[in-house]
Amino acid sequence: MSSQKTTDAPVDGRPHALALWRRWWRRQSPARQDRFITLGPLLAVVLFLAAVVAAFAYLRIEEVDREQEAVRRDVEYAQQRLRLRLLERQEQLMRIARDVANKEVDVAEFVVQAESLVNQYPELMAVSWVDNRRRIQAVYASASASPNQSRGAGETIRPGENEGTFELARDLRQPVYSRPMLTREIGGFNAPTLQLQVPLDDQGKFGGVVIGEYSVDGLLRFGVPTEVAAKYAVSLIDDKNRTLAGSVVPSQNRESRVLPWSQAPATYEIPVSLVGNALLIRAEGYRSSLGAVGSGFFWLVSALSALTVWMLLGNWRHTRKRVQAQQALITETNFRRAMENSMLTGMRALDLQGRITYVNPAFCQMTGLAESDLVGRVAPFSYWPAAEIDAWRARLDDELNGRAPPGGFEVRVQRKNGEVFDARMYVSPLIDPRGQQSGWMTSMTDITEQKRVREELSASYERFTTVLEGLDAAVSVAPLGSEELLFANKLYRAWFGAEVSGHIDLIAHAGVPPTPRLGDSLDPVDGLVGLPTDSLTAAQAENAEIYVPELTKWLEVRSRYLTWVDGRLAQMVIATDITPRRLAEAQAAQQTERAQTASRLITMGEMASSVAHELNQPLTAINNYCNGMVSRIKGNQISSEDLLVALDKTARQAQRAGQIIQRIRSFVKRSEPNRTHADVASMVNNAMELAEIELRRHNVRLSHYIAARLPKIMVDPILIEQVLINLMKNGAESIAHAHLPAARRNVELRVVPKRIEEQNVVEFSVLDSGRGLSPEVTARLYEAFYSTKAEGMGIGLKLCRSIVESHQGRMQAENLYNVEDIIGCRFTFWLPVTPLPSPLPGAAELGTNKGADVH
């Protein structure tokens, strides 16, 4: 505990890193925590591999640096040894040169000293004494010297042999090393040499040089320490990177450098300080080290790393499976707990001794008791009503002995607040995972609401039956394919008795296809079971009006299919007595016909003066023709040809008067409704002939447009002519009341085909140039017995609209505007080319639409 406090304690007032980590971890969601737990081992694998690679890379770099440092140190050591050896030879040659310059030695003595020097130091190939004119005074060459190096006394050195070293030594008066020189031997091999020219000072004058010729190969063999030569491929190169002496790295070692795990040989080169940049010493490893990959330590660590990675991956897979299993277990547990907590059924578990071992929240909610008040308790339980403890003990004894009924039993349960409710319990054995019974599981359902609903349904059924018995319609239900009568109300029993024959007769008279009877009427199995009935029961009821002679009544029969309470498909028939309605409809049709005839008579009465004026013209012409013929016949002043012409004109005037009277007689005569395929143009022309009589009286010009090739329509021509005449007459009267000048007294009739409401129609439009319709008149336009004329009856437009709608058409009126001024009115109605079957004659006229005469 103390260590925990020490670990999580703040440091200098700041939270510890571990405390911050724990605080951050608690704030993460469970899903994110699981994701971190799952990815943790995988992240550890990656970090481990990265650490191993970084360690090997670091070791590799350290090894390369160490090898490079060793090469550098060894090469510098070899260069120092070579420098010291050259300095020793240089001092010896300078002593010989000083003796020669002081003339302390002659030629013979010079040869002896040169011989001693050459024989003592193998790298020194020859020693020569050259005067200031490049002539060799004396020379001693080693036996191993090449013929080119063995020059005789008296020979002259050519200027190009030492590449300016002679002139440089003469000018500087100091020892000068030449650049390495390559000489061609007999075998064709190059034998590089190096010259040291020591100037001779003859009392301040240049007296020549003493030349010591070194074998570059000898310098390498005898000047480089053996321990360095054993470790590296040591060579001497010139400033052009040409190898003068020494060994080179094998080609296979150089090719191995391209391998990814191979180490390039450590190489280092440095100039020989006395000679300068013209001669460099280079050391290079004989073979390339395989580095860390080639060592056993690497393979050991690699094997251990691979084993660790495999274990970490296995741990990751195991962790992931464990997390998945844990998540599945948590999900399953949460689901079961949620399902348990959301159940409306109370669950109670008893052990074999009758002790409560488990209750779910629903059981606690039903009883109002906490889980601690129930678990571990034995009978009598606190939810037993005091008055029914004996009954509960008997029930519990039956339950513990396995005698509980499979269908459950009803009990009364007392809540903690004393309230008692009805419940139903079901008991089943509780089996453990080993297959042994460990107790009893009881489920309890509150059926208080169900009992209340059952009682209400029973009362509702009684009320419903009472309502059906009191209906003024006969209701019967019978299953299909059977002669059983499932239900019949009081009126059905009064009309047809308790037999199913009345039900079947109503269906037959109504035109509903009879259902074929089953072969065996005694078979209790429904022959239609299993067939889909949704489309039948969801269909709308079928209506029909029939006359039943036995009852001397008109009945409206409605039938529909339904699913009976036992699942059988049945047919319900409702028969309503509509005899009074049929009588009223017949009377209404007669009244409508009388109203239409009266309207036509009223129209002709209003047009009486115009008709009289129209008839007066032909009658006056006939009278004039007759008087003229009588006078001329009496005076014997007419020939037979003139008489025939006069009689022909008299006959035409009489025919014209007869046509006018025939039109009026056909329009006003009373006839039965007769709908035929009428020609639109002929019907409109007849209407215009009668309407023009009234329009001419009001001095109104009638223009018309009738589209060509109009289809025939199914209408009553006389009724449609009545509508057109009424509309044109109203337009003429509106123009007359407006007192317009003659140029503006126009009525236009247009008849055109159109497509309205997805059907082909013929549209009739009557346009006038009157004062239009006021808002008050528009609101009451089709109201019955409303008129703007003093002598009007207010039934003209009502009848017009009723006639149009009885032909399944529509009528509308609107004002014509010029900007904001009303310049007239337009009445439009359309009739379908192919109308739907219409109701009984007069039904539309007796609707709720209202009308009025205007203008």
Side-chain angles (χ1 to χ4, degrees):
M1 182 67 68
S2 61
S3 62
Q4 180 67 31
K5 289 182 179 179
T6 303
T7 303
D8 293 343
V11 179
D12 296 335
R14 293 174 296 176
H16 194 272
L18 183 58
L20 292 176
W21 162 256
R22 288 178 178 174
R23 193 179 306 167
W24 175 84
W25 178 258
R26 293 191 192 101
R27 287 199 299 265
Q28 305 305 312
S29 62
R32 182 170 292 181
Q33 291 179 358
D34 294 340
R35 191 155 53 246
F36 285 145
I37 294 174
T38 303
L39 296 178
L42 189 60
L43 181 62
V45 171
V46 174
L47 292 178
F48 177 77
L49 291 177
V52 170
V53 172
F56 275 108
Y58 175 76
L59 293 176
R60 177 65 174 158
I61 293 172
E62 286 291 325
E63 181 182 2
V64 171
D65 291 344
R66 189 167 53 252
E67 291 183 359
Q68 189 66 32
E69 180 63 23
V71 171
R72 184 188 64 79
R73 187 170 55 250
D74 291 341
V75 170
E76 289 180 352
Y77 171 66
Q79 188 263 357
Q80 290 295 329
R81 290 286 301 273
L82 188 59
R83 177 174 175 275
L84 290 176
R85 195 172 185 89
L86 288 175
L87 282 175
E88 291 176 358
R89 304 294 86 75
Q90 179 179 335
E91 289 178 358
Q92 293 172 350
L93 290 176
M94 288 178 66
R95 285 197 297 268
I96 294 174
R98 188 168 53 251
D99 293 343
V100 171
N102 294 333
K103 298 181 181 180
E104 295 178 359
V105 295
D106 54 6
V107 173
E109 186 64 23
F110 175 83
V111 172
V112 172
Q113 292 183 9
E115 180 181 2
S116 174
L117 191 61
V118 169
N119 292 333
Q120 185 178 359
Y121 303 103
E123 69 273 13
L124 196 58
M125 301 299 296
V127 178
S128 305
W129 175 9
V130 181
D131 60 11
N132 56 1
R133 289 175 296 184
R134 297 179 182 269
R135 183 178 296 110
I136 298 175
Q137 298 296 326
V139 62
Y140 178 80
S142 172
S144 60
S146 63
N148 293 332
Q149 295 173 338
S150 301
R151 290 184 291 268
E155 293 183 6
T156 302
I157 298 176
R158 292 183 296 274
E161 288 185 7
N162 49 20
E163 299 181 355
T165 307
F166 183 84
E167 290 79 4
L168 188 60
R170 182 188 60 193
D171 296 336
L172 295 178
R173 304 292 176 90
Q174 291 181 1
V176 176
Y177 286 90
S178 67
R179 296 176 60 83
M181 295 181 295
L182 297 177
T183 59
R184 180 70 62 179
E185 295 184 354
I186 298 174
F189 299 99
N190 293 327
T193 59
L194 180 68
Q195 289 185 356
L196 172 60
Q197 298 188 13
V198 180
L200 299 176
D201 188 6
D202 185 9
Q203 297 180 357
K205 295 181 181 179
F206 177 72
V209 295
V210 174
I211 299 176
E213 292 190 33
Y214 296 92
S215 171
V216 176
D217 183 66
L219 287 175
L220 180 65
R221 283 190 294 140
F222 301 105
V224 176
T226 55
E227 61 272 18
V228 175
K231 292 170 59 177
Y232 308 103
V234 183
S235 60
L236 292 175
I237 60 176
D238 60 6
D239 56 354
K240 297 181 180 179
N241 205 26
R242 291 180 297 185
T243 301
L244 304 177
S247 58
V248 295
V249 177
S251 59
Q252 58 269 23
N253 260 11
R254 295 184 182 275
E255 293 174 358
S256 66
R257 297 178 188 177
V258 300
L259 298 178
W261 58 80
S262 64
Q263 176 184 348
T267 304
Y268 188 76
E269 61 184 26
I270 186 173
V272 179
S273 59
L274 293 178
V275 182
N277 293 331
L279 183 63
L280 294 89
I281 181 172
R282 171 191 290 175
E284 185 176 8
Y286 278 111
R287 60 182 180 87
S288 176
S289 173
L290 294 179
V293 178
S295 64
F297 174 73
F298 170 81
W299 292 111
L300 177 61
V301 173
S302 298
L304 293 177
S305 301
L307 180 61
T308 304
V309 168
W310 177 77
M311 293 176 64
L312 288 175
L313 289 177
N315 184 28
W316 172 65
R317 288 193 296 267
H318 175 72
T319 303
R320 185 176 60 177
K321 291 180 180 178
R322 187 182 66 183
V323 170
Q324 291 175 353
Q326 182 179 358
Q327 289 177 347
L329 180 61
I330 293 174
T331 303
E332 182 67 19
T333 304
N334 292 337
F335 173 74
R336 290 182 178 273
R337 184 178 294 110
M339 183 174 63
E340 229 174 71
N341 295 336
S342 62
M343 284 180 61
L344 300 178
T345 303
M347 305 297 295
R348 182 202 66 185
L350 299 176
D351 59 12
L352 296 177
Q353 287 74 36
R355 181 179 287 103
I356 297 177
T357 59
Y358 166 79
V359 289
N360 71 337
F363 192 92
C364 297
Q365 185 178 2
M366 287 182 184
T367 59
L369 299 171
E371 184 179 356
S372 59
D373 297 334
L374 295 171
V375 176
R377 305 289 180 175
V378 294
F381 301 119
S382 54
Y383 56 84
W384 288 2
E388 301 182 11
I389 291 181
D390 294 337
W392 268 100
R393 285 188 181 278
R395 292 286 187 187
L396 180 61
D397 184 65
D398 292 341
E399 181 178 350
L400 295 177
N401 292 296
R403 296 193 299 268
F409 52 89
E410 290 188 10
V411 294
R412 292 178 61 80
V413 181
Q414 180 177 334
R415 292 191 174 96
K416 185 177 181 180
N417 58 6
E419 181 183 352
V420 179
F421 64 93
D422 296 312
R424 189 171 190 84
M425 285 190 169
Y426 299 87
V427 181
S428 60
L430 184 62
I431 308 300
D432 62 12
R434 294 173 295 179
Q436 298 179 359
Q437 182 178 353
S438 60
W440 300 91
M441 177 61 71
T442 304
S443 63
M444 182 175 70
T445 305
D446 186 356
I447 61 173
T448 304
E449 184 66 18
Q450 297 178 4
K451 291 187 69 174
R452 185 187 64 80
V453 171
R454 189 182 304 117
E455 293 172 357
E456 290 184 357
L457 286 177
S458 178
S460 176
Y461 174 75
E462 293 179 1
R463 292 193 297 269
F464 180 69
T465 304
T466 303
V467 171
L468 288 180
E469 292 292 340
L471 283 177
D472 59 352
V475 181
S476 61
V477 180
L480 296 182
S482 174
E483 294 185 356
E484 177 186 1
L485 187 62
L486 299 176
F487 176 82
N489 69 343
K490 181 179 179 180
L491 186 58
Y492 178 90
R493 295 193 298 271
W495 284 353
F496 305 103
E499 302 295 332
V500 75
S501 57
H503 178 90
I504 298 175
D505 291 342
L506 288 176
I507 294 176
H509 283 85
V512 179
T515 303
R517 294 184 54 191
L518 300 177
D520 186 4
S521 61
L522 300 178
D523 189 359
V525 179
D526 186 2
L528 301 177
V529 67
L531 297 178
T533 61
D534 294 342
S535 59
L536 290 177
T537 57
Q540 295 182 354
E542 299 177 355
N543 298 349
E545 296 181 359
I546 63 173
Y547 180 74
V548 182
E550 294 82 359
L551 302 176
T552 63
K553 295 179 182 297
W554 280 93
L555 301 180
E556 181 184 19
V557 180
R558 290 172 291 172
S559 65
R560 69 171 301 164
Y561 297 98
L562 52 85
T563 302
W564 194 241
V565 293
D566 58 1
R568 288 185 292 173
L569 184 63
Q571 190 172 20
M572 179 177 64
V573 175
I574 302 174
T576 307
D577 185 4
I578 59 170
T579 303
R581 193 190 75 187
R582 292 295 294 250
L583 294 177
E585 287 178 354
Q587 293 176 359
Q590 294 175 1
Q591 293 296 334
T592 301
E593 183 181 351
R594 294 192 188 99
Q596 292 172 356
T597 304
S599 176
R600 291 196 294 271
L601 291 174
I602 291 172
T603 301
M604 293 312 301
E606 294 173 350
M607 296 171 57
S609 60
S610 300
V611 172
H613 176 74
E614 190 71 15
L615 288 175
N616 185 50
Q617 292 180 358
L619 293 178
T620 301
I622 292 172
N623 185 40
N624 291 336
Y625 284 136
C626 289
N627 290 334
M629 286 187 294
V630 169
S631 300
R632 293 182 67 180
I633 289 173
K634 286 180 179 181
N636 252 340
Q637 297 176 358
I638 187 170
S639 62
S640 299
E641 291 79 7
D642 294 336
L643 182 60
L644 290 175
V645 171
L647 289 175
D648 183 60
K649 291 181 178 181
T650 303
R652 283 201 299 271
Q653 293 298 327
Q655 185 179 7
R656 178 185 174 192
Q659 288 178 349
I660 295 173
I661 294 173
Q662 180 63 27
R663 292 290 185 199
I664 296 173
R665 182 175 178 277
S666 299
F667 179 71
V668 300
K669 76 174 181 178
R670 182 176 180 178
S671 61
E672 295 295 330
N674 181 24
R675 294 192 182 186
T676 60
H677 285 282
D679 182 68
V680 176
S682 300
M683 186 170 55
V684 172
N685 289 330
N686 293 338
M688 287 194 304
E689 287 183 9
L690 292 178
E692 277 184 327
I693 297 174
E694 182 70 9
L695 266 64
R696 282 196 296 270
R697 185 174 71 88
H698 292 292
N699 194 21
V700 175
R701 182 172 63 256
L702 175 64
S703 60
H704 67 278
Y705 171 76
I706 303 175
R709 295 187 295 275
L710 288 172
K712 291 185 177 182
I713 55 178
M714 178 66 73
V715 295
D716 188 334
I718 297 298
L719 296 180
I720 303 304
E721 289 177 13
Q722 180 178 351
V723 173
L724 291 173
I725 292 172
N726 197 1
L727 294 180
M728 289 187 286
K729 175 174 158 298
N730 286 347
E733 291 174 353
S734 176
I735 294 173
H737 292 163
H739 304 291
L740 298 175
R744 295 180 54 193
R745 302 169 75 89
N746 300 317
V747 171
E748 181 183 1
L749 173 62
R750 295 180 60 84
V751 184
V752 294
K754 279 192 175 181
R755 184 168 182 82
I756 301 176
E757 297 180 1
E758 298 184 358
Q759 59 179 335
N760 296 323
V761 302
V762 177
E763 184 184 72
F764 302 82
S765 300
V766 177
L767 295 83
D768 64 68
S769 57
R771 293 177 298 185
L773 302 173
S774 65
E776 178 186 358
V777 173
T778 302
R780 306 179 63 184
L781 187 61
Y782 299 107
E783 184 177 333
F785 305 110
Y786 172 76
S787 177
T788 59
K789 297 182 292 186
E791 69 280 5
M793 295 180 62
I795 62 173
L797 283 179
K798 172 189 175 300
L799 283 177
C800 289
R801 182 175 180 179
S802 299
I803 290 171
V804 170
E805 292 184 351
S806 70
H807 289 80
Q808 301 177 15
R810 295 290 182 271
M811 174 180 284
Q812 63 181 6
E814 59 182 345
N815 288 328
L816 301 177
Y817 292 88
N818 182 9
V819 188
E820 296 182 356
D821 299 331
I822 299 177
I823 60 173
C825 179
R826 174 168 56 200
F827 277 83
T828 303
F829 69 92
W830 55 263
L831 301 173
V833 174
T834 307
L836 298 173
S838 61
L840 293 174
E845 290 82 346
L846 295 176
T848 58
N849 297 323
K850 300 178 181 180
D853 287 334
V854 295
H855 305 315

